[in-house]
Amino acid sequence: MLSLLFSILSFAQKQTQYTLVDQQISQIPIRSTYSTDAIADYINAHFQTDDEKIRAVFYWTASNINYDVDKMVALNNKEALENNSTRILKSKKGVCSDYTKIFKEIANKVGIETETISGYTKQNGAVDTMSHAWSASKIDNHWYVFDPTWGSGYVNNGKFVNTFDNQYFKVNPSDIIASHMPYDYMWQFLNYPISNQEFYNGSTGVDKSKKRFDFEAEISKYYKSSEMEQLIGSSARIKKNGVVNTMILNQLTYEKSKIEYYKQVKTSDYFNTVVSLYNEGVNDLNKFLKYRNKQFKPITSDKELKAMIDGPRNKLRRCQEMLNNFGSIDERNVSSIKAIKQSLEESIGQTEEHTAFVNAYLSRSKVVRETMFYKINRL
């Protein structure tokens, strides 16, 4: 009875605290509700603090987006990436990934650091069989969790009932973990994250016998990392926290496939960089050969002449070094790598010959220099 009373009092306090915010955001002109930019502009114009702004973002999203029952399937990662906010705002319908997309876009545009979290949930003591997405925002240097989907209402007998639910607004991470389990435990925002098995068992209390996890430092590191590095770190944490259902396995498989994709892209980019540098080196070498065929005329300084052969020589040697550090080579790239290595050896051999000539040329007097030329062919 005490727990129920506390819940009612807490809800009433939130309602009283944000009543004016809710009324103000409800008065946003219809014409301003078809883009996240326009909604954000309205919020920035009418609210001052981050607390008021995030309330406006949550209240508007949860009150105006209706759950699309026909689209009620497990969170599709590819679909989530392709969500279009204009489409969502035009139809005012969506699933969890749509709610979180709108919430995040508006929140970020009003200057509030916000993330979308993917995971799975528990309702009425039972773990759901569908993946879910919710949000987290940093307010006054603290992370809070928001679920605009659950905050918008519920599905009953196959129909969506739109009724604003305040209990999913600005929830402390230690409270929401009882029902919302992120795939990546970094997004629990807890110094002592719980495992997937503990979530199943309902053991969501603080266990300080565990090793302390500095989630703030890890999130900071995450933001400084490349997308592939983020995925590698996330996959490692997901695996470490226990793969106890197919939803987690699917998420892990999805992230690993993206890692492989980025590795292929990185390999391709690396190889293209080598090829580009190789072409630059060969072009510079050809420029030198044309100049040598003209017996180094018009005359330049010895320093400039030395630089003309050192440039292509250094570029081609750098290419060789990059190829030697290429790492594992995909079967599709073996023939290309072999061909460019062979061409490099030949080109580097030529630069060494010309470097030796230039060094000898520069060590001679002007009279002797004029006798050193012979005709050579352009590459």
Side-chain angles (χ1 to χ4, degrees):
M1 187 69 179
L2 180 62
S3 176
L4 176 61
L5 177 62
F6 174 79
S7 177
I8 293 173
L9 287 174
S10 177
F11 179 82
Q13 287 169 357
K14 283 187 178 180
Q15 283 293 85
T16 302
Q17 181 182 354
Y18 296 106
T19 298
L20 295 179
V21 175
D22 297 348
Q23 290 175 349
Q24 182 67 63
I25 190 62
S26 297
Q27 294 174 23
I28 183 173
I30 296 297
R31 66 178 181 275
S32 297
T33 64
Y34 294 105
S35 78
T36 53
D37 283 329
I39 298 171
D41 288 343
Y42 181 88
I43 292 174
N44 280 329
H46 290 84
F47 305 102
Q48 300 299 317
T49 69
D50 285 350
D51 191 51
E52 291 175 336
K53 290 179 180 181
I54 203 65
R55 174 64 179 193
V57 175
F58 182 83
Y59 189 84
W60 188 91
T61 304
S63 299
N64 289 276
I65 307 297
N66 292 297
Y67 194 82
D68 192 344
V69 178
D70 294 334
K71 200 178 173 185
M72 188 169 62
V73 293
L75 178 64
N76 183 303
N77 291 294
K78 182 175 183 294
E79 183 179 271
L81 290 173
E82 296 175 348
N83 279 344
N84 183 289
S85 58
T86 302
R87 170 186 61 77
I88 300 166
L89 292 176
K90 183 178 180 180
S91 67
K92 297 296 191 293
K93 293 177 67 176
V95 291
C96 59
S97 57
D98 299 313
Y99 280 90
T100 55
K101 182 173 183 62
I102 296 301
F103 184 90
K104 181 178 179 178
E105 279 195 23
I106 301 173
N108 284 340
K109 287 175 181 179
V110 298
I112 299 174
E113 184 179 341
T114 298
E115 288 293 335
T116 295
I117 301 170
S118 58
Y120 61 103
T121 58
K122 181 189 288 187
Q123 299 184 70
N124 302 317
V127 173
D128 207 333
T129 58
M130 295 194 304
S131 295
H132 188 51
W134 56 95
S135 306
S137 297
K138 202 169 188 179
I139 310 294
D140 297 328
N141 211 35
H142 292 284
W143 284 98
Y144 294 95
V145 179
F146 304 78
D147 192 335
T149 310
W150 285 18
S152 69
Y154 58 91
V155 175
N156 184 35
N157 294 324
K159 293 184 178 181
F160 175 65
V161 180
N162 190 335
T163 176
F164 181 76
D165 193 337
N166 206 59
Q167 65 179 312
Y168 300 108
F169 168 74
K170 199 181 178 186
V171 189
N172 282 311
S174 57
D175 294 327
I176 200 73
I177 195 62
S179 60
H180 289 60
M181 184 60 171
Y183 289 127
D184 182 347
Y185 63 77
M186 181 177 73
W187 301 116
Q188 292 183 27
F189 308 106
L190 299 174
N191 291 128
Y192 302 94
I194 70 165
S195 69
N196 289 303
Q197 191 59 58
E198 287 172 329
F199 181 76
Y200 267 80
N201 297 340
S203 305
T204 59
V206 177
D207 182 0
K208 291 190 176 182
S209 66
K210 296 179 180 179
K211 182 179 179 180
R212 190 179 187 279
F213 177 67
D214 190 346
F215 68 86
E216 289 282 11
E218 288 301 315
I219 291 174
S220 177
K221 178 181 175 183
Y222 174 88
Y223 286 146
K224 296 174 183 177
S225 303
S226 66
E227 189 166 356
M228 187 173 79
E229 290 170 335
Q230 290 175 354
L231 285 165
I232 291 173
S234 176
S235 295
R237 287 188 293 270
I238 291 173
K239 187 175 181 181
K240 182 180 179 181
N241 216 33
V243 182
V244 299
N245 60 44
T246 55
M247 294 177 288
I248 301 171
L249 179 61
N250 289 340
Q251 180 68 18
L252 191 60
T253 301
Y254 167 72
E255 293 197 6
K256 285 184 176 179
S257 69
K258 286 200 71 176
I259 291 170
E260 287 305 312
Y261 168 75
Y262 282 120
K263 283 183 177 179
Q264 290 177 14
V265 170
K266 186 176 180 180
T267 298
S268 177
D269 289 345
Y270 188 88
F271 181 69
N272 289 337
T273 299
V274 172
V275 171
S276 178
L277 189 60
Y278 169 75
N279 288 333
E280 286 182 23
V282 170
N283 287 335
D284 289 349
L285 179 58
N286 280 330
K287 290 178 183 178
F288 170 82
L289 293 176
K290 289 177 67 175
Y291 186 56
R292 177 173 171 175
N293 284 337
K294 294 177 181 179
Q295 299 184 1
F296 294 161
K297 293 178 182 177
I299 297 173
T300 62
S301 68
D302 289 357
K303 183 178 180 180
E304 290 173 316
L305 178 59
K306 187 73 165 65
M308 286 186 70
I309 188 59
D310 284 345
R313 179 172 178 263
N314 292 337
K315 287 180 180 179
L316 293 172
R317 281 194 168 279
R318 175 57 180 155
C319 283
Q320 191 174 55
E321 180 184 337
M322 291 177 72
L323 283 178
N324 291 336
N325 295 328
F326 201 82
S328 58
I329 302 174
D330 190 280
E331 291 183 2
R332 293 169 292 184
N333 297 320
V334 171
S335 59
S336 298
I337 297 292
K338 185 177 180 180
I340 196 171
K341 277 187 174 181
Q342 184 175 346
S343 297
L344 261 174
E345 289 178 4
E346 294 173 0
S347 298
I348 289 174
Q350 290 187 50
T351 61
E352 295 300 338
E353 291 179 10
H354 293 299
T355 297
F357 176 83
V358 169
N359 289 337
Y361 176 86
L362 295 177
S363 67
R364 303 295 196 275
S365 65
K366 290 183 179 181
V367 175
V368 176
R369 287 181 180 184
E370 294 179 359
T371 66
M372 296 178 65
F373 292 100
Y374 57 89
K375 190 71 175 176
I376 59 174
N377 295 319
R378 186 175 184 272
L379 286 178

